[in-house]
Amino acid sequence: MSEQLTGAQALLRSLELEGVEVAFGVPGGAVLPLYDPLLDSSIRHVLARHEQGAGHMASGYAHASGKVGVTIATSGPGATNLVTPLADAYADSIPVVAITGQVASSSIGYDAFQEAHTWGITAPCTKHNYLVTDVNDIPDVVREAFHLAATGRQGPVLVDIPKDVLAATMTWTGGGTVNLPGYKPRSEGHHKQISAAVKLLLESERPVFYAGGGLVRAEASQEALAFAKAANLPVVTTLMARGVIPDSYEKHLGMPGMHGTYAATMSLQKADLLVTIGARFDDRVTGKVSAFAPYAKVIHVDIDPAEIGKVRNAEVPIVGHARAVLSQLIAELAKQLDGEPAPKNQPWIDTVLGWRHDNPLVYDQRPDGPILQQYFIDELSRQMGDTAIVCAGVGQHQMWTSQFWRFERPNAWVNSGGLGTMGYAVPAAVGAQAAMPDTTVWAIDGDGCFQMTSQELITAAIEGFPVKIAIMNNGALGMVKQWQNLFYDGRLSGVDLSGGLPDFVMLAEAMGCVGMRVDNPADVPAIIEKAMSVTDKPVVIEVVCDPEEMVFPMVPAGGSNDDVVLNKDGLK
Amino acid sequence: MNHLISVLVENKPGVLARVATMFARRGFNIHSLTVGPTAEEGMSRMTVVADTPEVEQITKQLYKLVHTVKVTEFEPGQAVVRELMLVKINADPKRRSEVLNAASVFDASAVDIGSSSLTFQVTGTPEMLADFLEMMRPYGVSALVKSGRIALAKNSKTKAAAGP
């Protein structure tokens, strides 16, 4: 049935057809024609206080739900404020669709008010982007944008629409279609490669399953665990993959890399085979690439062919969707084993489990000392079990959360891994809460990170998202301070925040949240319980922490993973 | 080392900028780049000469661009390669015929003439253009412009670089 719609109405109709329930945005001049019919749409609009917040909310929504997050901004500064969240989502392959208004077609190129070259600025930080010049293209562009965001290697897609195109009328004839002749993401892996991979696996004596965030995006959690069990594989999960294989899996060694566990990092160094799925040999995992996993052959499974061979050569490259390829690998393993049990590789398993046993993640919480961040996170995780979603900003608190939270399921860990965007936690938590209204959402934040996006507290309060935020307040940009202490002779430059911190409790209250403060280790369990008892408002807990605590283990930047340092004394 | 890459792309606004931005972002050095329509409606062909040891990454990154349909890397001898050059040679009336004679060896045609210079149009392989310049250098080359290389596969002996 055909009817006359404005471009904005067609856009909203198209978004509704994609199943969009909520969009995070900030209006402005160029999107006025969109915000009017938005009032009549089934899509809920969440008014962020800054477009960066809106973008991270969309990302947090996508992280927690696996669905595409949607954000809306106006032209010019609205769009440029989205650059950081887009780059963030691009680095972590998070499916986000951004709708931006543009100045009227006739003004483009004339340096009009609030004009920016949005598609040019965002082309390098999106999977793809569009400038819509014809109102009739809107349904197809929206369909393609969601298709691109959610399939293949997921990622952000931006749709820039001039104001006159939003206001123009078109004949609606039904939803859009995808016409992308050059876009053909592969699903199944090549059967010869699957066979070669399993052969190599069965020949190996020291294999490790190096599991990456692609497994989360591919919803391959069950298959990943089944494969690990079937092949008796010890597992390491990267920062982006925490939870995709439960930490409680008996051969889980933790996170590898710069701040990973000794067992995880060392297992890669001594392995003779890496089964790498949905991971990209990021520098935070590999350390010095030439010294990384020197004895290992590599099976590399990725949906993005460009990741294979980019950093590390793969003996068996497999391009495909992680879930499909894992199913193939499981079937092929059974076929090649032909009823025999999988190799136990007992000496190797004993070795890596011995490393894990002998080098646990530790902290020393003294009853009369300041609260250690690790202790707070450990206690919070203990109380939450696997019920909560946990978000983090970037820095020490992020690493400690990854280390000390007990991750048991995918989509419960929301953080900025690739881009390392400080300020991610608060808005991401709002987005995660919007996706999962019945789940407790915690944000573990730093005092530095928190101050970058804390204006979104009021968004959480007004829009009814009762997130819980724990600020690990050490009065400094802690990770930078740690590096200055370790590698710049303790010459602290530009990292001290303690002289000018806001009163976080008053700030929280001023933003419509409940503010709390804890500075005694003995009070930590009770303050968490108190925060959990508040269900109708966001809660902010200022956790007054030890300003000198550092994150260990640590592989110094540019160093070999063989040189992992377990504590402060190891650096001397 | 120079690699000759032929890229079939959808003819969409901004596609050249996307390719150029990707090359810049990934640190690939472009020696020359030409773009123009093809026999197929809605498709353009880019011929890129890239100076890099890492041609596989270039191919893969090109395929990641949504408007890229096919990427072909030509090994030497697999394609017919041509380039067009306009070049202005110093030639006062006394030396004009000498320069014209020399140019005729290369099938170069004089397309403009001035009081003290001649402009030639030269078409051929990159090697031939280089030879022409080498021969003309003693007279003095005051200006030149090249089209960049274009290439078409010989018969059907090329294989497309591994697709996505």
Side-chain angles (χ1 to χ4, degrees):
Chain A
M1 199 186 83
S2 65
E3 59 185 303
Q4 293 299 111
L5 297 182
T6 66
Q9 288 170 327
L11 171 64
L12 290 167
R13 184 80 62 88
S14 301
L15 294 173
E16 287 161 7
L17 283 174
E18 297 295 335
V20 175
E21 292 167 345
V22 58
F24 307 91
V26 181
V31 283
L32 280 167
L34 173 59
Y35 271 74
D36 183 77
L38 188 54
L39 288 170
D40 307 318
S41 166
S42 63
I43 297 168
R44 175 182 178 186
H45 180 257
V46 172
L47 174 62
R49 264 42 176 182
H50 189 290
E51 291 86 354
Q52 185 192 350
H56 290 322
M57 287 174 199
S59 160
Y61 177 92
H63 258 284
S65 67
K67 294 191 281 190
V68 177
V70 177
T71 181
I72 303 172
T74 193
S75 63
T80 57
N81 279 343
L82 275 182
V83 169
T84 298
L86 289 170
D88 185 276
Y90 192 45
D92 287 341
S93 307
I94 305 302
V96 168
V97 168
I99 309 289
T100 50
Q102 181 55 275
V103 300
S105 307
S106 57
S107 299
I108 291 178
Y110 287 87
D111 305 312
F113 176 65
Q114 292 194 328
E115 182 185 359
H117 179 31
T118 301
W119 89 253
I121 290 169
T122 58
C125 59
T126 53
K127 181 171 174 182
H128 193 58
N129 61 10
Y130 293 86
L131 171 61
V132 183
T133 53
D134 182 341
V135 65
N136 296 297
D137 292 344
I138 286 175
D140 287 349
V141 166
V142 172
R143 184 73 274 281
E144 287 183 5
F146 277 77
H147 180 66
L148 287 167
T151 61
R153 182 173 182 175
Q154 299 180 342
V157 179
L158 179 138
V159 179
D160 196 31
I161 314 181
K163 189 175 184 179
D164 58 307
V165 176
L166 286 171
T169 53
M170 52 96 73
T171 306
W172 176 268
T173 55
T177 54
V178 172
N179 177 28
L180 298 166
Y183 180 72
K184 300 175 211 105
R186 194 173 275 184
S187 177
E188 298 217 318
H190 195 286
H191 64 93
K192 280 186 185 165
Q193 297 297 84
I194 299 290
S195 167
V198 170
K199 186 161 176 287
L200 199 57
L201 177 62
L202 293 178
E203 286 166 6
S204 71
E205 293 174 353
R206 303 189 308 279
V208 179
F209 183 176
Y210 163 19
L215 291 165
V216 182
R217 305 266 54 86
E219 299 178 343
S221 187
Q222 287 181 1
E223 290 80 1
L225 181 60
F227 174 65
K229 285 181 171 171
N232 278 325
L233 288 172
V235 169
V236 302
T237 48
T238 68
L239 181 66
M240 295 310 296
R242 303 291 289 125
V244 79
I245 290 173
D247 283 356
S248 57
Y249 168 58
E250 58 180 7
K251 299 186 186 78
H252 198 305
L253 305 178
M255 176 177 77
M258 181 174 276
H259 293 297
T261 65
Y262 179 85
T265 303
M266 208 45 66
S267 71
L268 298 180
Q269 288 306 93
K270 303 299 182 193
D272 69 351
L273 178 68
L274 305 186
V275 183
T276 307
I277 307 185
R280 58 185 177 89
F281 296 89
D282 178 75
D283 58 87
R284 268 10 190 202
V285 168
T286 63
K288 189 177 171 186
V289 174
S290 60
F292 174 70
Y295 312 110
K297 291 183 175 174
V298 173
I299 297 166
H300 194 175
V301 180
D302 206 291
I303 197 151
D304 179 358
E307 286 305 339
I308 295 174
K310 185 182 81 177
V311 173
R312 173 70 178 245
N313 184 50
E315 276 71 15
V316 183
I318 301 176
V319 177
H321 188 276
R323 196 172 61 227
V325 172
L326 276 164
S327 297
Q328 289 176 285
L329 288 170
I330 290 166
E332 179 66 21
L333 181 65
K335 188 180 140 202
Q336 289 195 24
L337 285 171
D338 195 21
E340 297 293 312
K344 290 238 178 312
N345 295 321
Q346 204 58 51
W348 172 240
I349 298 293
D350 290 344
T351 301
V352 297
L353 295 183
W355 285 335
R356 187 178 71 179
H357 177 267
D358 295 342
N359 303 280
L361 294 164
V362 289
Y363 58 88
D364 179 20
Q365 177 64 64
R366 299 199 336 271
D368 56 344
I371 296 172
L372 295 185
Q373 294 87 332
Q374 302 96 308
Y375 166 63
F376 183 89
I377 293 162
D378 196 11
E379 173 60 21
L380 179 60
S381 174
R382 191 190 66 73
Q383 288 199 26
M384 291 304 111
D386 62 0
T387 62
I389 289 170
V390 61
C391 311
V394 169
Q396 289 181 314
H397 68 276
Q398 174 194 29
M399 292 296 105
W400 280 318
T401 308
S402 179
Q403 288 179 341
F404 287 94
W405 197 271
R406 299 160 186 81
F407 293 97
E408 290 296 312
R409 61 186 177 88
N411 304 97
W413 168 231
V414 179
N415 90 125
S416 167
L419 196 68
T421 308
M422 286 180 67
Y424 182 75
V426 171
V430 171
Q433 188 77 81
M436 299 288 159
D438 300 325
T439 304
T440 301
V441 177
W442 276 92
I444 309 287
D445 218 354
D447 49 315
C449 275
F450 178 79
Q451 291 185 79
M452 290 196 176
T453 49
S454 63
Q455 74 278 9
E456 303 305 345
L457 287 182
I458 200 144
T459 309
I462 294 289
E463 298 276 351
F465 298 122
V467 297
K468 303 185 195 310
I469 295 152
I471 304 170
M472 302 293 111
N473 179 10
N474 59 4
L477 300 171
M479 188 59 94
V480 185
K481 178 177 166 184
Q482 175 168 341
W483 283 55
Q484 290 179 348
N485 271 324
L486 296 177
F487 309 118
Y488 290 85
D489 297 326
R491 284 161 52 85
L492 301 183
S493 176
V495 293
D496 180 51
L497 298 171
S498 64
L501 283 174
D503 182 320
F504 289 117
V505 175
M506 284 174 67
L507 177 65
E509 298 280 347
M511 294 288 213
C513 306
V514 176
M516 304 176 184
R517 178 182 288 119
V518 61
D519 57 9
N520 184 340
D523 298 334
V524 165
I527 200 106
I528 293 170
E529 285 164 27
K530 194 174 156 201
M532 287 302 293
S533 72
V534 179
T535 54
D536 59 338
K537 283 181 178 184
V539 180
V540 177
I541 308 177
E542 180 193 0
V543 185
V544 182
C545 292
D546 187 335
E548 301 306 328
E549 189 65 8
M550 293 201 245
V551 182
F552 288 101
M554 178 173 195
V555 178
S560 160
N561 279 357
D562 288 328
D563 303 327
V564 54
V565 174
L566 294 179
N567 53 50
K568 211 171 160 182
D569 301 331
L571 282 163
K572 300 210 168 104
Chain B
M1 152 174 198
N2 277 346
H3 294 273
L4 183 60
I5 304 161
S6 182
V7 194
L8 188 67
V9 295
E10 287 185 80
N11 183 11
K12 295 278 174 104
V15 66
L16 174 61
R18 290 179 200 278
V19 171
T21 302
M22 186 279 285
F23 271 73
R25 153 92 176 82
R26 296 282 167 186
F28 305 138
N29 200 12
I30 299 176
H31 180 82
S32 78
L33 190 158
T34 65
V35 57
T38 63
E40 204 176 334
E41 181 94 9
M43 294 288 172
S44 295
R45 183 173 298 284
M46 293 186 187
T47 308
V48 186
V49 179
D51 181 12
T52 172
E54 270 290 322
V55 72
E56 188 182 324
Q57 261 299 309
I58 294 189
T59 300
K60 287 174 168 177
Q61 294 294 342
L62 280 166
Y63 268 124
K64 277 183 80 165
L65 299 173
V66 167
H67 292 321
T68 301
V69 176
K70 192 167 188 178
V71 182
T72 312
E73 196 219 340
F74 292 123
E75 300 291 341
Q78 286 182 328
V80 180
V81 184
R82 288 294 179 273
E83 196 164 12
L84 168 70
M85 173 170 70
L86 295 173
V87 56
K88 197 177 279 187
I89 309 294
N90 296 335
D92 55 41
K94 280 185 293 186
R95 310 191 77 172
R96 209 175 264 163
S97 59
E98 184 185 338
V99 171
L100 282 166
N101 270 339
S104 67
V105 177
F106 287 84
D107 278 340
S109 43
V111 290
D112 190 29
I113 185 162
S115 60
S116 61
S117 69
L118 282 165
T119 300
F120 290 101
Q121 168 191 312
V122 198
T123 311
T125 63
E127 295 76 21
M128 188 185 137
L129 266 52
D131 289 347
F132 180 84
L133 276 179
E134 196 55 39
M135 194 187 66
M136 289 298 174
R137 214 168 284 285
Y139 300 105
V141 177
S142 61
L144 76 84
V145 59
K146 287 183 175 184
S147 63
R149 285 172 215 179
I150 53 171
L152 212 53
K154 283 182 184 170
N155 299 323
S156 56
K157 285 177 186 162
T158 1
K159 17 176 233 240

